[in-house]
Amino acid sequence: MKKILVIHGPNLDLLGQREPKIYGKTTLIQINQELKKIAKKKNVSLTIKQSNHEGEIVDLIGTAKKKYEALLINPAAYTHTSVAIRDAIAASGILTVEVHLSNIYSREEFRQKSLISPVAKGTILGFGGKSYNLGLLALLDLI
Ligand code: DQA
């Protein structure tokens, strides 16, 4: 069975209560349930992690290539700042799809740059929790 790693970055554990006008009312648990439903239907295995710690995310990506076919990641605020996460994805060479709930290009200027997009196969953003579903389907099409 093919294996996919899902990483949710900082503050995404607060979804549902965190700035609902921007991120919606869907909780991370609900997002994960939807992803698990898709995975079950498509007969793939998902490992889902959430971390608020940049180094922990770097470590997860560092060992991912050996264990997983692909990575679905919402790097959250680290999208805009983390050379370390970008380098970890580039170094591992793992097939990566980046997702965001919000359309970062319609928001504050500091969010309008992703350090991760250049090392991802593609990016899906702006569809709320559904961005994850679409991202997973895109990955499944590729592996
Ligand atoms: C986010 C967008 C980021 O700018 C922000 O820091 C997040 C969530 C999104 O999914 O829309 O935490 O990645």
Side-chain angles (χ1 to χ4, degrees):
M1 193 186 276
K2 300 240 161 116
K3 291 183 184 161
I4 294 176
L5 176 62
V6 179
I7 300 179
H8 302 288
N11 298 309
L12 294 173
D13 52 331
L14 304 176
L15 284 179
Q17 65 193 62
R18 172 191 181 206
E19 300 183 88
K21 284 206 175 108
I22 296 170
Y23 298 116
K25 288 193 179 148
T26 309
T27 64
L28 193 62
I29 291 171
Q30 289 168 328
I31 287 173
N32 289 340
Q33 279 168 347
E34 286 296 310
L35 289 176
K36 283 179 199 159
K37 262 194 227 162
I38 295 171
K40 199 171 172 198
K41 243 196 231 162
K42 303 280 186 181
N43 204 30
V44 293
S45 139
L46 282 193
T47 299
I48 303 178
K49 307 272 188 193
Q50 189 276 326
S51 177
N52 294 327
H53 303 279
E54 186 176 20
E56 198 178 333
I57 295 171
V58 169
D59 285 346
L60 280 171
I61 296 167
T63 54
K65 182 78 190 225
K66 280 194 208 126
K67 302 190 206 157
Y68 307 98
E69 263 79 29
L71 170 66
L72 183 67
I73 184 166
N74 182 349
Y78 289 139
T79 305
H80 320 295
T81 62
S82 182
V83 176
I85 292 175
R86 174 204 176 106
D87 285 356
I89 293 170
S92 85
I94 192 164
L95 175 65
T96 299
V97 166
E98 174 193 7
V99 298
H100 298 283
L101 298 126
S102 65
N103 179 351
I104 57 174
Y105 300 106
S106 67
R107 300 185 60 196
E108 302 97 321
E109 208 179 328
F110 69 87
R111 292 185 205 276
Q112 292 179 17
K113 182 164 178 66
S114 168
L115 299 186
I116 310 304
S117 293
V119 294
K121 178 76 180 168
T123 302
I124 294 174
L125 51 90
F127 300 103
K130 296 258 182 303
S131 293
Y132 283 94
N133 301 351
L134 295 167
L136 179 58
L137 290 171
L139 276 182
L140 293 178
D141 212 42
L142 294 168
I143 60 175

